[in-house]
Amino acid sequence: MAEKPSDIVQGTLDMLILKTLALEPMHGYGITVRLEQMSKGTFRVNAGSLFVALQRLQRAGLIRSEWKATENSRRAKYYILTQQGRKRLDSETREWGRQVAAIARILEAS
Amino acid sequence: MGRELDEEMGGFLEMAAQEKMSQGMSRKAALREVRLERGSLEIAKEVVSAATWESVLETCWQDLRIGCRTLCKSPSFTVVVVLTLALGIGATTAIFTLIDAVMLKSLPVANPRQLYRLGDNNNCCVMVGTQNGGSFVLYSYPLYEHLRDHTPEFTELVAFGSHLSDLSVRRHGDSAAVEPYKGEFVSGNYFDMFGIGAFAGRTLTEKDDRSGALPVAVMSYHTWQTRFGGDPSVIGAAFTINTVAYTAVGVAPPRFYGDTLRSDPPDFWLPLATNPDRWLFSPEPEWLYLMGRLRPDAASEQVQARLTVELQDWLGSHREVIPERDWKDIARQHIRLTPGGRGVEQMQTNYAIGLHLLVTLSALLLLIACANIANLLLARGSANRSQTAVRLALGASRSRLVRQMLTESVLLALVGGAAGLYVAYVGTHAILLLAFRGAHHIPIEARPSVAVLGFALLLSLATGIVFGIARAWMSSQSYPADALRGAGRSTGDRSSVAQKSLVIVQVAFSIVLLIGAGLVTQSLRNLERQNFGFVTEGRLIVNIAPSLAGYTPDKLDGLYQRLEDTLPQIPSVLNASLSWYSPLGGNNANERVYIQGKPPDYGWTAPSWDRVGPHYFETIGTRLLRGRVIDEHDTPAARHVAVINKTFAHRLFPNHDDPIGQHFGMGDASHSGDYEIVGIVEDAKYQDTRGPAYATFFLPLLQAPPGEPVRGWVGAIELHVAGKPENIESAVRKTLADVDPNLSVLDMVSFGEQVARNFNQERLIARLAELFGVLALVLACVGLYGVTAYAVARRTNEIGIRMALGADRRNILGLVLRSALVQLGAGLAIGIPIALAGGRLLASQLYSVKSYDPLILGLAAVILAACALSAASVPAQHATKVDPLIALRYE
């Protein structure tokens, strides 16, 4: 039996959202589905956390939003990565890489 | 913002559900599944909106709406709390408004801080020689000129009469009878010193205050509005004031009431030089108050020292105007410079004790009100415990719950505060009417000032926050699981201890207030019902001023004759008489006497004296003890006689020598043969209502020593009437107009009312203390009722068990009332000693009541106990009607 999906690692949701949006503008549910697909069902996104994160990113100017029609022709709010957000995604990705490598070294040491 | 979020989330939910449904789920199942996977969208919405700053306002608005809703759902609770707060805050604010207006406000003039008064007391009205205690306060006109011209530290130094003058005024071309007004004689620089310009026309100038200048007058704004309808043609119009032609040159600014805060301030300001009494400008009579504006760079201590030197110089060079017996005191005479920003602090001095007493009383009432509200909120908090627990269990955050409770409390407090302001506004009006009974115009604004409004707002906010926090603290103690299990059913807990203590505090403060109210009420009753030495029932007093109608001493005889002939003709008048002044009308004269054959005695206060016509003593109901009274035969040509009162007889003839037949006189020893004593009357109080009657002698209206004019003209008419004295007022006015249309009636009141006006302050304090006492009583009863009712509700279960086990009604009644009795007893035990201690501070204000009067103490305790127990017995009766079967199922 597959493992139960867990919540996303603390503090990484913002980065993951930025990564998702780096491919194309997306609405909230789209982001959820994409994150779950990309993590192959490891992560499950809580709606409350998602919307709080979206508010936060928007306020920081890393993303912006606009209302557009979806493929099923319903109205939805699409989030778009800004120039500033793209820069932040690069720096966070690098930082994350450094940290993961460091943690891996510590764990492999003994 | 909220709607957008709603739509976005709705879309989210919809899309997620659609996907599930496309896998073959029913819509209902799909929605349920999404909720399970993604968490409740409602909570998500809450979380998101809580993260934004707009949400703070929004949740406040929400809290406010919830608060309003819950308050509306329990109207009786809301009404009781708001009323309690309104009374507590209203009473305190009303008293504070008065304190602010009477004690703290400066004169409405430019830079009141620069004003200084020369003198530190309010002695009135005309003096000769050195002054009491050496501190100068009344000045003669030449002394004023001397100080004005030799003290450059004052930019202006002004003089004004120490008392207002009665004016009889008629506008030129008016055919109506003259009307009485109040006037003040002031130096020409009076308005300049205050920095006051005219509202219309001009103010007085130095040029107006020179002898020979055209007489001019400035009218007060209030008089201009109320008596002349704001008619602009008044400015520049000619008036006859006390038979002299004046021109009204201007109107003073609306808020200006002169140099002294008092009821019925001057209607006219007139230049000193226009005062027709030329004697007042000689060096002997000291009758002026002085006030000056100090230069900004002058130090008041140095100016004070300099003024004293100037005073000494002047007195030293004017020994001839000082009676020889006062010479030894000249070296002690000095001038104290006192801040004059509030003017002559007459009202401030008179009302200081009364207002402070009222502040104490209203603060007590506020405390009781607060205790009551605390109690109600505590009871409500406990009652809502299970509701709070349910909310917590459903996931409400504690901080949100606390905030909501705070909002509710503050809302309550603010509504209470607003209602309190209304109470304060109405209350201040009522207090002013009580305090200045008989006044036509009181220059005090009843409107709470900004400071007072702030005070009330702060008070209500503080109340709301304190009680809100207390409630929140209590509810944060509640653990949902316990509360829901019903742990709150136990017989005792912390909140009920707090409640009981609050009731004890309430009872204690209430008994203090009740005893205080009892003491001041009894004191007032004793004052009003004392034996004054005259009878007030069926008597009317009419105050007139023949001098204002142009009467000179030689014409008085005819006037008196006509009055004595016509007044008894008025239907239902039993007796009529004339006198210089009437008892307790506010006037009093005293003069040293010299008894024939005895050395002069300066040892005690000079006796009072009055001039009275025939039938005077019968008319006012003063009994003759020996000899005869003054009658129609005591004309100027007849033997000069005097009637004395009992105290005069005891004081001046202590050795049992018979006063009747003895002679005395005024002025100096050469006059000691002027008057022969022919009668002794009982003591009557003419001036001081609390102390013993003054030694007094009475002279016939027109008997003056040979070659001297008559001093002391008729100022009062006394009428003894069958029926209500007010009924004949118009007949009296008509009769007087027939005698002389120029004779203006200054005032006409029943004798009872004239006496009653002496007790305005005592009455104000007594009525307010009674009101506060009753309110305190009601609040204490509400408190005890609330706590008992709450206890019964909580113990319904227990009571049911007891009854099931065989307890009867009496047992249950006892069970419930025992606790109420304990609280009552504890409250009394704490309160009565406080009342006794407070009573000692009050003792100086009481008239023939001991501050520990056992009857009043006992009565207050019995009333409080009876009311409190009957309040507690209502829920106790309910307890006995509990049906055990229902009670056991009760939750």
Side-chain angles (χ1 to χ4, degrees):
Chain A
M1 189 179 159
E3 272 181 69
K4 217 175 148 191
S6 63
D7 283 345
I8 286 173
V9 179
Q10 280 228 324
T12 59
L13 180 59
D14 287 15
M15 181 174 68
L16 297 181
I17 291 173
L18 291 179
K19 175 70 189 168
T20 319
L21 292 179
L23 309 173
E24 56 176 330
M26 234 175 265
H27 52 65
Y29 184 64
I31 297 172
T32 316
V33 172
R34 179 63 61 86
L35 277 176
E36 285 171 10
Q37 279 173 1
M38 293 202 312
S39 70
K40 301 214 165 69
T42 308
F43 294 148
R44 194 173 60 191
V45 183
N46 177 289
S49 320
L50 175 73
F51 283 109
V52 172
L54 286 172
Q55 291 281 346
R56 192 166 50 227
L57 291 170
Q58 205 169 4
R59 188 154 303 140
L62 303 178
I63 58 173
R64 59 189 175 80
S65 64
E66 62 189 45
W67 287 89
K68 282 205 296 199
T70 66
E71 53 270 34
N72 300 338
S73 66
R74 51 173 30 263
R75 241 165 69 86
K77 202 180 200 179
Y78 277 76
Y79 293 92
I80 302 146
L81 200 63
T82 63
Q83 204 51 44
Q84 209 185 337
R86 202 170 289 282
K87 274 188 210 149
R88 174 67 67 85
L89 176 62
D90 287 347
S91 67
E92 288 213 354
T93 312
R94 245 181 286 122
E95 180 62 15
W96 179 252
R98 242 163 44 82
Q99 286 186 0
V100 168
I103 292 169
R105 272 200 299 281
I106 294 168
L107 291 178
E108 283 158 14
S110 51
Chain B
M1 161 79 214
R3 192 171 304 157
E4 208 174 314
L5 193 65
D6 274 350
E7 191 182 342
E8 190 180 2
M9 288 197 164
F12 183 97
L13 181 65
E14 200 55 41
M15 286 188 258
Q18 285 294 335
E19 195 169 312
K20 300 253 182 240
M21 280 156 75
S22 66
Q23 290 160 13
M25 250 184 220
S26 75
R27 183 173 170 79
K28 204 173 154 194
L31 286 174
R32 201 180 108 83
E33 192 77 358
V34 173
R35 213 163 270 139
L36 275 175
E37 275 177 24
R38 306 284 167 207
S40 155
L41 281 178
E42 281 307 308
I43 290 179
K45 209 187 305 176
E46 188 94 343
V47 171
V48 173
S49 54
T52 66
W53 68 267
E54 296 94 332
S55 73
V56 176
L57 276 181
E58 202 169 307
T59 47
C60 275
W61 174 236
Q62 250 175 34
D63 285 346
L64 213 62
R65 281 202 326 240
I66 295 173
C68 285
R69 251 199 335 256
T70 37
L71 290 181
C72 289
K73 264 188 205 155
S74 38
S76 53
F77 165 81
T78 311
V79 166
V80 169
V81 171
V82 167
L83 269 184
T84 312
L85 260 178
L87 290 174
I89 291 177
T92 324
T93 311
I95 304 292
F96 194 72
T97 302
L98 274 190
I99 295 257
D100 183 48
V102 174
M103 308 298 287
L104 306 177
K105 270 219 181 101
S106 298
L107 296 176
V109 300
N111 290 327
R113 283 164 165 276
Q114 293 175 348
L115 301 182
Y116 282 87
R117 213 188 133 205
L118 278 63
D120 59 357
N121 62 62
N122 299 328
N123 282 347
C124 187
C125 299
V126 182
M127 268 197 204
V128 172
T130 56
Q131 297 193 4
N132 303 353
S135 176
F136 243 70
V137 64
L138 288 163
Y139 299 81
S140 66
Y141 189 77
L143 176 54
Y144 158 61
E145 286 181 312
H146 177 79
L147 294 174
R148 183 191 62 196
D149 299 341
H150 290 87
T151 323
E153 287 88 346
F154 287 111
T155 53
E156 297 285 356
L157 185 66
V158 301
F160 46 89
S162 60
H163 62 285
L164 298 187
S165 308
D166 286 316
L167 304 180
S168 142
V169 177
R170 174 192 285 146
R171 189 170 170 185
H172 252 252
D174 248 359
S175 53
V178 291
E179 299 221 31
Y181 286 88
K182 292 279 181 195
E184 185 176 26
F185 288 99
V186 301
S187 57
N189 53 354
Y190 184 80
F191 288 93
D192 286 345
M193 185 209 65
F194 283 125
I196 292 272
F199 175 80
R202 65 170 177 94
T203 57
L204 301 180
T205 63
E206 310 235 14
K207 279 185 197 149
D208 299 320
D209 192 21
R210 290 178 191 158
S211 59
L214 228 57
V216 296
V218 169
M219 192 186 287
S220 84
Y221 179 84
H222 181 260
T223 307
W224 185 49
Q225 287 296 324
T226 56
R227 306 283 289 264
F228 296 94
D231 177 5
S233 73
V234 162
I235 296 135
F239 284 82
T240 308
I241 300 180
N242 298 354
T243 70
V244 176
Y246 277 84
T247 307
V249 291
V251 174
R255 289 176 57 231
F256 184 67
Y257 50 78
D259 46 72
T260 306
L261 180 63
R262 57 184 144 205
S263 52
D264 297 331
D267 300 300
F268 290 95
W269 286 276
L270 314 167
L272 280 176
T274 64
N275 194 319
D277 193 348
R278 298 324 295 172
W279 177 68
L280 289 174
F281 295 91
S282 62
E284 286 96 350
E286 297 156 346
W287 62 291
L288 295 165
Y289 283 156
L290 304 192
M291 195 181 261
R293 186 179 289 278
L294 219 52
R295 289 188 191 285
D297 54 341
S300 63
E301 299 81 26
Q302 283 162 18
V303 179
Q304 175 171 301
R306 181 176 182 144
L307 284 168
T308 300
V309 172
E310 288 166 18
L311 172 73
Q312 291 283 346
D313 282 355
W314 193 87
L315 291 175
S317 59
H318 290 79
R319 281 179 171 257
E320 71 282 359
V321 303
I322 302 166
E324 213 177 307
R325 61 169 188 271
D326 289 346
W327 283 5
K328 59 181 189 321
D329 296 328
I330 290 180
R332 288 197 298 126
Q333 303 300 305
H334 61 272
I335 292 177
R336 292 270 317 273
L337 208 55
T338 52
R342 286 184 213 116
V344 179
E345 301 201 348
Q346 226 170 52
M347 197 179 274
Q348 287 85 343
T349 315
N350 293 344
Y351 275 86
I353 294 174
L355 281 177
H356 287 137
L357 186 63
L358 288 180
V359 169
T360 316
L361 294 183
S362 62
L364 268 181
L365 185 69
L366 185 65
L367 280 177
I368 294 173
C370 285
N372 209 37
I373 292 164
N375 222 332
L376 286 167
L377 287 176
L378 280 175
R380 189 172 158 81
S382 320
N384 286 354
R385 218 151 68 168
S386 50
Q387 196 193 343
T388 312
V390 169
R391 285 193 196 171
L392 278 173
L394 288 179
S397 73
R398 263 178 218 272
S399 68
R400 183 69 197 277
L401 274 183
V402 165
R403 207 164 66 187
Q404 195 206 308
M405 272 178 211
L406 257 176
T407 311
E408 196 184 304
S409 303
V410 170
L411 187 69
L412 258 180
L414 286 181
V415 173
L421 274 184
Y422 178 74
V423 172
Y425 185 68
V426 175
T428 316
H429 268 284
I431 292 174
L432 285 177
L433 285 182
L434 259 177
F436 301 102
R437 178 164 165 179
H440 301 290
H441 170 47
I442 309 156
I444 294 177
E445 280 183 66
R447 212 173 318 127
S449 67
V450 175
V452 173
L453 284 175
F455 167 79
L457 186 71
L458 216 71
L459 204 62
S460 33
L461 265 183
T463 323
I465 289 171
V466 167
F467 293 136
I469 287 175
R471 260 180 81 193
W473 177 80
M474 266 190 42
S475 70
S476 71
Q477 302 294 95
S478 90
Y479 289 92
D482 288 353
L484 290 177
R485 247 200 335 263
R489 271 194 220 158
S490 60
T491 51
D493 64 342
R494 216 176 323 183
S495 71
S496 79
V497 172
Q499 277 180 297
K500 283 176 187 164
S501 324
L502 281 171
V503 168
I504 292 173
V505 168
Q506 270 181 290
V507 170
F509 283 153
S510 300
I511 192 74
V512 172
L513 263 181
L514 276 179
I515 291 174
L519 289 175
V520 292
T521 304
Q522 188 56 41
S523 165
L524 175 66
R525 275 165 64 104
N526 290 347
L527 273 172
E528 285 180 327
R529 295 182 183 187
Q530 65 178 303
N531 177 20
F532 290 105
F534 49 76
V535 181
T536 55
E537 284 79 28
R539 265 79 173 179
L540 187 70
I541 309 285
V542 186
N543 289 313
I544 54 168
S547 64
L548 307 186
Y551 281 91
T552 47
D554 51 302
K555 291 188 197 151
L556 287 173
D557 196 6
L559 173 68
Y560 293 175
Q561 210 63 62
R562 285 201 301 279
L563 288 173
E564 278 164 9
D565 290 344
T566 52
L567 287 169
Q569 315 271 323
I570 300 172
S572 81
V573 167
L574 306 174
N575 253 321
S577 77
L578 311 174
S579 68
W580 183 7
Y581 54 84
S582 58
L584 299 178
N587 283 327
N588 188 50
N590 59 346
E591 183 105 13
R592 227 157 255 302
V593 294
Y594 299 84
I595 312 263
Q596 200 169 49
K598 287 192 174 198
D601 176 11
Y602 299 121
W604 47 275
T605 317
S608 298
W609 70 290
D610 197 359
R611 286 195 182 274
V612 302
H615 313 296
Y616 173 74
F617 295 105
E618 298 158 61
T619 309
I620 65 161
T622 297
R623 282 178 303 124
L624 176 71
L625 300 178
R626 288 193 52 208
R628 68 169 180 92
V629 292
I630 288 161
D631 61 27
E632 291 86 348
H633 303 105
D634 298 315
T635 57
R639 184 172 53 125
H640 284 21
V641 298
V643 168
I644 61 174
N645 73 354
K646 207 169 135 194
T647 302
F648 188 104
H650 283 304
R651 282 263 175 81
L652 285 144
F653 306 98
N655 304 324
H656 307 291
D657 31 350
D658 188 359
I660 293 193
Q662 305 267 7
H663 289 76
F664 70 89
M666 293 178 276
D668 56 57
S670 70
H671 284 281
S672 62
D674 282 356
Y675 298 97
E676 181 180 330
I677 298 170
V678 294
I680 304 174
V681 291
E682 70 175 320
D683 283 342
K685 295 194 176 182
Y686 275 65
Q687 180 75 4
D688 180 9
T689 54
R690 287 172 180 250
Y694 298 163
T696 311
F697 60 94
F698 302 88
L699 304 180
L701 288 175
L702 290 166
Q703 287 187 348
E708 289 184 20
V710 177
R711 280 195 290 141
W713 296 2
V714 163
I717 298 169
E718 295 84 16
L719 298 167
H720 184 192
V721 187
K724 280 180 75 108
E726 288 85 354
N727 294 343
I728 63 157
E729 283 188 4
S730 56
V732 172
R733 272 183 208 281
K734 195 179 164 301
T735 307
L736 289 175
D738 287 347
V739 169
D740 182 350
N742 281 324
L743 199 61
S744 69
V745 173
L746 300 181
D747 196 12
M748 190 175 332
V749 287
S750 72
F751 202 4
E753 177 66 19
Q754 173 162 317
V755 172
R757 287 178 187 172
N758 284 273
F759 306 121
N760 280 353
Q761 191 174 171
E762 286 88 352
R763 190 176 307 107
L764 170 70
I765 292 170
R767 295 290 169 267
L768 287 182
E770 285 158 18
L771 180 68
F772 291 178
V774 169
L775 290 177
L777 187 65
V778 170
L779 291 179
C781 291
V782 169
L784 199 58
Y785 169 85
V787 170
T788 312
Y790 172 67
V792 167
R794 284 171 64 93
R795 292 170 78 173
T796 305
N797 222 261
E798 178 200 339
I799 291 168
I801 294 172
R802 282 174 188 261
M803 289 179 94
L805 292 177
D808 63 9
R809 284 181 46 124
R810 292 235 322 270
N811 297 135
I812 300 300
L813 210 59
L815 174 78
V816 178
L817 283 184
R818 197 176 309 134
S819 152
L821 266 176
V822 168
Q823 292 163 57
L824 182 67
L828 290 181
I830 296 170
I832 289 179
I834 297 178
L836 284 176
R840 288 175 53 174
L841 299 176
L842 198 65
S844 65
Q845 298 297 301
L846 298 177
Y847 179 75
S848 66
V849 189
K850 291 278 178 290
S851 62
Y852 50 85
D853 188 292
L855 194 69
I856 291 173
L857 252 66
L859 204 65
V862 167
I863 290 176
L864 181 61
C867 291
L869 281 185
S870 44
S873 65
V874 174
Q877 288 291 343
H878 277 294
T880 62
K881 299 206 180 88
V882 163
D883 180 344
L885 280 177
I886 294 174
L888 288 172
R889 261 185 276 138
Y890 176 86
E891 231 171 320

